[in-house]
Amino acid sequence: MAAAGGYYLGVDLSTQQLKAIAIDDNLNVIHETSVKFDDDLPEFGTQDGAHVHSDKLTVTTPVLLWVKTSFAVKESPIWMDSSTTEECLQLEKSVGGPQNLADITGSRAYERFTGNQIAKINKKNPEDYKKTERISLVSSFVASLFLGDYAAIDYSDGSGMNLMDIRAHNWSQRCLDACAPGLKEKLGAPLPSHSILGSVSPYYVKRFGFNSECKVIAFTGDNPASLAGMQLQRGDIAVSLGTSDTAFLWIQDPKPTLEGHIFCNPVDSNAYMALICFKNGSLTREKIRDESASGSWDEFAKALKATCPGNNGNLGFYFDVMEITPAVVGIHRFNAKNCKVSKFPKEVDVRAVIEGQMLAKRAYAEKLGFEVLKDTRVLATGGASSNPDILQVLADVFNAPVYTRDTTNSACLGCAYRAKHGLQAASGQSFADTMKNAPEPKVAVTPACEVDKVYGPMLARYMELEKLVRNNC
């Protein structure tokens, strides 16, 4: 949101907490705050911000945790939900297969994507669907609270629904019809991500002292917001290390595949961003820390330093919950001879989980056309980006320097940056022009000498072993 007097507010509603960052007209962060759901709102009984249902597939968040108002359903599915496989298959079939769906929407059908979740509600609770006046993403819902009216879904977050034609920047009628009747009216028209939606609601003016001229810019998703917050450039790859891990890059010519996603670019409506999401992120790292490093990040760091790049050939796949890419669950460990083993020594387990996660990011980025060049930068964000030992493995695997910014909340910061750009975009100013005075990222770590000789062959071996894991699962 952009307020008169040169202040801009970014809000990030993530799985485990609500964060906010305020910046001034010179792009300096002047305040940060957060509400941690488990700790600050214990009455909702969440664990890591969510409710995991008995089938271990359905994962929701109680919507009253976000705000007490009126909802058609009391529990909202979130990104961790994997209960809509049947609806995914039906959607892909209706448009001629998974590749056709990816060509239209940027992604094949995914259980967590909104279109499939809507189809599930329409099928199992049709009365709830019928009485629903408006369907929002979390991003447009939060914008609606500030606006005091229904907020439009932006192009970029709307790309992650299996419903939008990413080239036409509008809903695909074929996809809408495959999910539920009358869906177009319930979604409203999508808008460019830099759109000014209107002025802040009088409620916020009276209750919290907002300036009545404060403008609400279209809200977007956390990953598109991180692209803005990190000021991604062509040739860079951004890696977000959070509850889920993601890798994303800026592209001009989208070539959707069956793995990974193509989204409309949140700061340039003529460009796109490629994204790969990995569900097993920080919670998986924390589990290995607890099991193999006495619950201590210091001990975790010692284990990483006690083992060498390549882990003497030991490779691991750590999927505590059903992974997105690949669609596999379970822990799978292999020794240097490619034989599956039941366990590793503790220090080997620590390095294996980090190396496995970073190898997966590089492998799938390269499938989408990414190349490691001599001037490639890896921009790291998310909670684990403050851990230099984890970043060292990231630098080594990509054989490129890793950069970070002073804040780990790049999504929230990106929202504040986008708020300023939203005001200036109306006069034709680019996001790059808006950000020309922003602080540059700092080098956090550089790759070890000749480490590419280790990870080059290891990358190919990782993908071969992943095929074996897929087939056995």
Side-chain angles (χ1 to χ4, degrees), residues 316-438:
F317 301 81
Y318 296 78
F319 307 131
D320 294 321
V321 295
M322 179 64 72
E323 187 49 86
I324 299 165
T325 308
V328 173
V329 69
I331 309 300
H332 310 271
R333 298 177 176 91
F334 296 87
N335 64 21
K337 297 180 179 179
N338 291 349
C339 296
K340 196 167 185 179
V341 297
S342 60
K343 62 180 181 180
F344 284 151
K346 290 184 177 181
E347 67 276 9
V348 173
D349 229 14
V350 167
R351 177 167 284 275
V353 68
I354 302 300
E355 283 190 341
Q357 290 181 335
M358 303 313 172
L359 285 165
K361 291 169 181 55
R362 178 168 176 179
Y364 282 97
E366 291 185 351
K367 279 190 174 185
L368 289 170
F370 174 78
E371 292 183 56
V372 176
L373 306 173
K374 64 179 182 179
D375 58 348
T376 289
R377 303 183 307 170
V378 181
L379 302 173
T381 185
S385 67
S386 62
N387 187 314
D389 302 290
I390 291 176
L391 293 188
Q392 185 63 59
V393 178
L394 176 61
D396 290 347
V397 168
F398 277 85
N399 193 32
V402 172
Y403 291 73
T404 59
R405 297 189 180 276
D406 289 338
T407 177
T408 58
N409 296 327
S410 64
C412 202
L413 183 61
C415 293
Y417 287 165
R418 290 180 55 257
K420 180 171 184 177
H421 177 236
L423 288 186
Q424 299 175 337
S427 60
Q429 184 162 306
S430 70
F431 183 76
D433 287 340
T434 299
M435 301 307 300
K436 62 184 178 182
N437 294 324

Side-chain angles (χ1 to χ4, degrees), residues 86-101 109 174 178:
E86 183 179 338
E87 288 77 14
C88 288
L89 294 173
Q90 177 58 39
L91 176 57
E92 290 179 344
K93 181 180 178 181
S94 71
V95 298
Q99 185 60 57
N100 283 352
L101 182 63
R174 293 174 69 189

Side-chain angles (χ1 to χ4, degrees), residues 110-280:
Y110 283 86
E111 282 83 355
R112 69 189 187 280
F113 275 22
T114 317
N116 307 300
Q117 294 288 342
I118 292 170
K120 175 186 172 182
I121 290 175
N122 177 58
K123 181 170 62 177
K124 296 189 175 182
N125 301 289
E127 290 305 314
D128 287 343
Y129 177 78
K130 287 180 182 178
K131 67 184 181 184
T132 298
E133 182 176 279
R134 184 66 166 243
I135 297 173
S136 298
L137 299 181
V138 171
S139 57
S140 60
F141 160 72
V142 179
S144 298
L145 295 179
F146 285 104
L147 190 64
D149 196 1
Y150 291 133
I153 293 171
D154 81 295
Y155 289 165
S156 195
D157 210 14
S159 306
M161 300 172 69
N162 279 144
L163 293 177
M164 197 177 86
D165 185 323
I166 60 171
R167 292 174 177 82
H169 296 95
N170 209 340
W171 306 123
S172 163
Q173 195 61 51
R174 293 174 69 189
C175 295
L176 296 176
D177 291 343
C179 291
L183 186 49
K184 189 173 185 178
E185 292 71 25
K186 294 178 185 288
L187 292 172
L191 292 179
S193 301
H194 59 258
S195 299
I196 298 175
L197 301 180
S199 297
V200 70
S201 165
Y203 170 83
Y204 285 88
V205 177
K206 295 176 181 177
R207 177 78 184 272
F208 299 108
F210 276 70
N211 189 302
S212 61
E213 297 300 314
C214 178
K215 302 300 182 185
V216 179
I217 312 301
F219 281 33
T220 194
D222 56 349
N223 292 310
S226 286
L227 181 145
M230 301 181 75
Q231 303 165 54
L232 198 67
Q233 303 171 4
R234 295 183 193 180
D236 295 340
I237 182 167
V239 175
S240 178
L241 302 170
T243 307
S244 61
D245 283 356
T246 55
F248 47 96
L249 53 151
W250 182 303
I251 56 174
Q252 290 296 127
D253 183 21
K255 294 180 175 63
T257 67
L258 297 185
E259 293 173 321
H261 314 282
I262 304 294
F263 286 66
C264 295
N265 192 298
V267 298
D268 183 346
S269 295
N270 296 315
Y272 297 84
M273 63 175 284
L275 180 146
I276 317 131
C277 186
F278 304 90
K279 190 180 290 187
N280 293 270

